[in-house]
Amino acid sequence: MSVMIFHKSASDHARDVRGFLRDFEQRTTRVLEEVDPDSRRGISLCALYDIVDYPTIVAIGADGQLRNKWRGIPLPTIDEVSFYV
């Protein structure tokens, strides 16, 4: 299972996302994959998983199926996301 966070680094929510990622790594020793929605890969993943709001965190199963999605601010708790990592 993998977890990705889609966000734009130059946006109003960037500080919240950086804080969440820092806290997540400190508590779980795991790193979430960051995806820029404006990159070529980001555009295709956003279309695939129907992502239109940022930040969005998605949990993807080994089979590529969407397991859970959290959109916007406030971000989910670290415990909610760590279940999928």
Side-chain angles (χ1 to χ4, degrees):
M1 198 161 317
S2 68
V3 178
M4 296 180 278
I5 183 165
F6 294 78
H7 72 98
K8 297 181 180 186
S9 58
S11 65
D12 294 339
H13 62 264
R15 177 179 281 174
D16 293 329
V17 170
R18 283 193 303 270
F20 178 83
L21 291 171
R22 182 190 64 242
D23 293 345
F24 188 87
E25 184 175 358
Q26 287 176 347
R27 282 193 47 201
T28 66
T29 68
R30 307 284 285 214
V31 178
L32 298 182
E33 180 182 354
E34 295 181 68
V35 179
D36 177 2
D38 293 329
S39 68
R40 177 175 280 172
R41 180 173 180 261
I43 291 169
S44 64
L45 287 172
C46 286
L48 179 64
Y49 296 114
D50 193 29
I51 297 170
V52 294
D53 298 321
Y54 309 109
T56 294
I57 300 174
V58 293
I60 309 298
D63 58 357
Q65 293 295 317
L66 181 67
R67 299 290 183 224
N68 205 341
K69 183 190 312 187
W70 299 270
R71 289 183 278 202
I73 300 291
L75 292 166
T77 65
I78 291 171
D79 291 334
E80 288 175 309
V81 177
S82 66
F83 175 78
Y84 295 96
V85 177

